[in-house]
Amino acid sequence: MDEGAQDITELVKGIVLALVDEPDQAEVTSVYEGETIIVSIQVTPDDVGKIIGRQGRIIKSIRTLARAASSLGDGEQVEVEHRRAGGQLLG
């Protein structure tokens, strides 16, 4: 993982850890798929609502910030996905 992807992952991780009640159970990882950085957020079932927010506003904001951060670097495409603990993808 290059420095840009690591910076984006750390940005998302900082936001997520500030939002959840159980930060020790939260996990933020990233992988490359082609030229796209996939940032995955995994939290406990009780914290999922805090990450998604009302009508998805918080996760949309996290995605916007991650994409803005990537545009400052190499301009790589960024996708942010969120999962429940156990790996179930939540849209």
Side-chain angles (χ1 to χ4, degrees):
M1 179 170 29
D2 73 358
E3 189 173 319
Q6 188 173 0
D7 289 345
I8 293 167
T9 304
E10 290 299 317
L11 170 68
V12 172
K13 185 175 184 177
I15 295 168
V16 168
L17 293 181
L19 292 172
V20 298
D21 289 333
E22 299 182 49
D24 55 321
Q25 298 295 316
E27 186 177 334
V28 178
T29 58
S30 63
V31 296
Y32 271 100
E33 285 188 10
E35 293 189 18
T36 302
I37 303 167
I38 307 293
V39 179
S40 182
I41 302 169
Q42 189 168 332
V43 297
T44 64
D46 292 338
D47 285 331
V48 169
K50 293 175 181 76
I51 297 301
I52 296 173
R54 290 191 180 141
Q55 298 181 352
R57 289 184 182 146
I58 293 177
I59 192 63
K60 287 178 189 174
S61 297
I62 293 171
R63 287 178 175 139
T64 299
L65 289 169
R67 289 178 182 141
S70 76
S71 71
L72 297 174
D74 297 335
E76 295 165 313
Q77 197 172 9
V78 174
E79 295 295 327
V80 177
E81 58 184 28
H82 49 294
R83 300 176 178 270
R84 279 199 174 106
Q88 179 187 6
L89 186 61
L90 298 171

